[in-house]
Amino acid sequence: MTLNRVAYELESKIKVERVSLRGPGVLILTGPSSCGKGEVAAALSKVMSIPPEAHLSMGEILRTTFQRAKNEKSYAKLLADNYKISSESNIFDCVDTTDDLTKKVLNYIPEMEAFFKRTQMEKFTSQLDWLEFCTMNGLLVPNRWTQDFISAHIEHAPEFRTHPFILDGYPRTVKAAQHLIGFLKKFNIPVIKVLHLSISKQEMLSRATKRGRADDDEQSLLSRYQFYIENVHPSVDYLKTQLGSDAIALVDAHQPVYLKNGDQKHFDLEKSILNVVASSLRCLGVSRMTVKDLLDQLIEMQKRK
């Protein structure tokens, strides 16, 4: 038996169930709306031994920020001291106050008073009140807050400076990318890789339409894709200039799998996501055989749910 044959047979008996990243670092997932960032990030977390709380999405951070500020005094103090956002600051008289923001908040006073069961909110609505109301009702928060909440979340958790984490769907503009790079350098957190998930406009429309969300009308979807072209894509280009082209990986997020049932073909969402996860893992330098083992393990985990 030759050495190569021994090596082949040995390799076939070894099954890799998990891989892990060592040391500090962030894995960034970006791309257009409906490209599957959240699903791919969640799958990567499972196979790369990254705990769920280290998968950071902008939506989740917005949802948890006002809750943590209520329940954790140290977090509330960090927001107030370092980022000028607190329950003591009036949205009508703070660093974020503008005529447009004031007008917007005043337009929602009746709804807010019903939501919070308080009166006279036209005189005092705290920044955190406005954050909670916006988050729970799908409204946009001031631009400054988005990048500051990301920073505060990472700064408040020491493990993000010693262990890897995933940043899902951020940054979305060049300005946000500039802020993120500066913040990461300040805390000596390297960027492991930027995975840029790519789908066509038509595929985005098709996926979003199937979700059936109330805000997924064609005009809103086209507006989101245009935002991606004008803002998200340039932010990736900026990251490439700062980090080098090797740090950016373009991943085809449209790798559909169809199952045949007689003459009928059915789209298999889970297997399609696994194809994208496999491409992402290979971009991270994981061998094809190890990728296969990891995906087999992920399938088993999904079956046990």
Side-chain angles (χ1 to χ4, degrees):
M1 185 177 292
T2 66
L3 182 62
N4 286 340
R5 180 64 179 169
V6 171
Y8 175 79
E9 290 198 353
L10 179 61
E11 190 176 52
S12 69
K13 289 180 171 63
I14 297 173
K15 184 173 180 64
V16 179
E17 295 187 351
R18 293 281 178 91
V19 294
S20 61
L21 299 169
R22 288 183 295 179
V26 57
L27 180 61
I28 297 173
L29 270 72
T30 187
S33 174
S34 302
C35 71
K37 293 183 292 291
E39 293 88 347
V40 172
L44 288 174
S45 294
K46 290 175 183 175
V47 298
M48 302 187 77
S49 305
I50 295 175
E53 59 271 18
H55 168 199
L56 309 183
S57 71
M58 195 64 240
E60 185 62 25
I61 286 176
L62 287 176
R63 284 187 289 273
T64 58
T65 293
F66 67 83
Q67 294 169 341
R68 292 183 68 189
K70 287 180 181 179
N71 300 325
E72 300 177 36
K73 289 184 179 180
S74 61
Y75 188 69
K77 187 175 188 307
L78 176 72
L79 278 180
D81 292 349
N82 292 7
Y83 300 98
K84 310 304 178 193
I85 301 169
S86 79
S87 60
E88 306 300 320
S89 294
N90 192 347
I91 196 71
F92 302 119
D93 184 23
C94 66
V95 295
D96 302 301
T97 305
T98 64
D99 290 342
D100 287 343
L101 179 59
T102 297
K103 184 178 179 181
K104 183 178 180 180
V105 177
L106 288 173
N107 284 338
Y108 282 101
I109 290 299
E111 291 91 339
M112 280 200 293
E113 291 187 340
F115 181 83
F116 289 108
K117 297 180 172 56
R118 289 206 312 264
T119 59
Q120 297 189 319
M121 293 191 73
E122 76 280 1
K123 295 180 180 178
F124 184 89
T125 295
S126 79
Q127 291 169 306
L128 291 178
D129 284 340
W130 182 239
L131 169 64
E132 181 173 356
F133 182 77
C134 287
T135 302
M136 301 306 291
N137 290 277
L139 303 176
L140 295 176
V141 300
N143 289 334
R144 177 181 77 89
W145 292 7
T146 305
Q147 62 190 34
D148 284 352
F149 291 151
I150 288 279
S151 300
H153 197 89
I154 296 170
E155 186 176 352
H156 189 253
E159 60 268 24
F160 292 141
R161 280 169 260 169
T162 56
H163 293 80
F165 62 97
I166 294 177
L167 196 49
D168 161 13
Y170 186 86
R172 289 168 48 81
T173 65
V174 171
K175 185 176 180 181
Q178 292 170 337
H179 179 271
L180 178 65
I181 290 296
F183 175 82
L184 293 174
K185 285 181 178 177
K186 176 182 175 183
F187 288 97
N188 296 314
I189 300 172
V191 174
I192 298 166
K193 203 83 168 179
V194 178
L195 298 177
H196 183 186
L197 305 187
S198 174
I199 57 172
S200 67
K201 181 197 294 186
Q202 192 56 46
E203 178 58 22
M204 185 211 76
L205 290 171
S206 174
R207 292 186 185 193
T209 302
K210 289 173 184 175
R211 292 189 308 193
R213 279 184 5 189
D215 60 342
D216 278 346
D217 60 277
E218 185 173 355
Q219 189 56 46
S220 297
L221 294 172
L222 290 174
S223 177
R224 282 181 225 160
Y225 195 82
Q226 193 61 31
F227 181 90
Y228 163 71
I229 295 297
E230 295 177 358
N231 295 278
V232 179
H233 209 289
S235 76
V236 177
D237 289 338
Y238 174 80
L239 291 173
K240 185 184 293 186
T241 64
Q242 295 298 305
L243 303 171
S245 58
D246 288 345
I248 315 295
L250 183 64
V251 178
D252 181 4
H254 181 50
Q255 300 186 46
V257 175
Y258 294 95
L259 299 179
K260 290 192 71 174
N261 184 8
D263 295 332
Q264 299 283 328
K265 284 201 310 182
H266 300 283
F267 176 66
D268 190 315
L269 176 61
E270 288 188 353
K271 288 187 177 180
S272 300
I273 291 171
L274 289 179
N275 279 348
V276 182
V277 173
S279 295
S280 301
L281 288 167
R282 289 195 291 271
C283 288
L284 291 168
V286 181
S287 71
R288 287 182 177 272
M289 182 164 289
T290 301
V291 167
K292 181 181 181 304
D293 288 346
L294 293 173
L295 295 190
D296 288 345
Q297 179 69 10
L298 187 58
I299 291 169
E300 285 301 314
M301 292 165 65
Q302 290 171 344
K303 287 179 179 177
R304 291 197 292 267
K305 282 185 177 180

